[in-house]
Amino acid sequence: MVTSVVAYILFLIVGVAVVNEFLSARARREWRLLSDYGLVELGEVTRHTWVMLAQHIGVGKRESLTLSELRDLVHAPQADEALRELALAVAADESRRRSLHELVADLADNARARLGRWAPVLVEAPFPHSMTRFVRLQARLTRLQTVLWEDSLNWRPSYEGSGDAEWIAERIANIIQLGSELDLELLDVVEHPDLWGWGVKTPGAEPAR
């Protein structure tokens, strides 16, 4: 009888361990699905940010260029100088700078909201480098927003970059190039991009790199 009781207890222990492992594996899959969606949202807002800024300064229009073609222009030889020149033309013109401020404010608010929404989920994600780069993108965008906001009020410069068209142009070019790399980087760490319409089978989608 003692042998039977011991065997039954061991059976229960093994059974509980198997069930717990099954539940843990299912929870991990569901949690990864949630974190994947968070990465997709951050990737989408990153893509929206650099594309809208590139269009605004005159790199090209999505109406006539595919996303890949616009990305190639951003990373073409001598693209750094070309981006700065285009951005400087916007930053040096009062009316265009005002329009730029409105765009940057919308982009920064959107990126800030997405980051705040997903930071608690992704804070312990196994891809900290991508998250750090997104935070860097958001920080640079927010700083640009602050500089343009101060300029729009005709206040005397209080921040580095305020009233400095060269600084504004450099920051815009940097955000565009960082964003155009980061959206692909975020896609690369999504486990199942096809679930969110980012896979290579999606019409017009770019393959992961």
Side-chain angles (χ1 to χ4, degrees):
M1 188 176 70
V2 171
T3 301
S4 298
V5 170
V6 171
Y8 181 70
I9 291 173
L10 291 175
F11 174 78
L12 286 178
I13 292 173
V14 172
V16 169
V18 170
V19 170
N20 283 339
E21 179 58 30
F22 171 77
L23 294 176
S24 296
R26 186 172 67 176
R28 285 194 297 270
R29 287 194 301 270
E30 292 175 351
W31 187 256
R32 181 56 198 260
L33 190 65
L34 179 61
S35 66
D36 265 6
Y37 183 68
L39 290 169
V40 168
E41 280 216 359
L42 295 187
E44 287 177 345
V45 76
T46 300
R47 179 168 294 180
H48 181 67
T49 296
W50 79 261
V51 167
M52 294 301 291
L53 282 174
Q55 287 191 127
H56 191 82
I57 66 173
V59 176
K61 295 291 184 182
R62 284 286 283 116
E63 292 88 343
S64 57
L65 294 170
T66 66
L67 185 61
S68 292
E69 289 170 341
L70 186 60
R71 195 188 305 277
D72 289 341
L73 289 177
V74 168
H75 292 283
Q78 289 81 47
D80 290 355
E81 183 178 350
L83 286 174
R84 282 194 294 271
E85 288 179 357
L86 288 170
L88 183 59
V90 174
D93 183 276
E94 184 176 349
S95 62
R96 296 180 71 186
R97 192 168 62 248
R98 189 179 306 114
S99 176
L100 174 66
H101 172 228
E102 294 173 359
L103 172 62
V104 169
D106 287 342
L107 294 174
D109 289 345
N110 186 24
R112 188 181 303 111
R114 300 290 185 98
L115 181 60
R117 179 188 307 163
W118 289 107
V121 174
L122 298 173
V123 66
E124 295 185 5
F127 17 77
H129 179 69
S130 299
M131 291 303 302
T132 299
R133 280 165 62 81
F134 184 86
V135 172
R136 185 178 299 126
L137 177 75
Q138 167 60 26
R140 294 177 182 180
L141 191 60
T142 299
R143 181 58 181 276
L144 177 62
Q145 178 190 14
T146 301
V147 166
L148 293 171
W149 169 75
E150 186 177 61
D151 179 74
S152 71
L153 296 175
N154 294 319
W155 286 359
R156 296 186 63 184
S158 303
Y159 301 95
E160 179 189 2
S162 294
D164 186 345
E166 293 278 357
W167 185 94
I168 293 171
E170 181 70 30
R171 180 56 56 97
I172 292 170
N174 180 266
I175 291 172
I176 290 173
Q177 291 193 313
L178 174 59
S180 63
E181 297 170 355
L182 180 59
D183 67 337
L184 292 178
E185 184 178 316
L186 288 165
L187 172 59
D188 281 341
V189 296
V190 173
E191 189 170 15
H192 299 293
D194 52 298
L195 292 178
W196 317 108
W198 274 29
V200 295
K201 295 182 180 179
T202 304
E206 293 181 300
R209 299 180 185 178

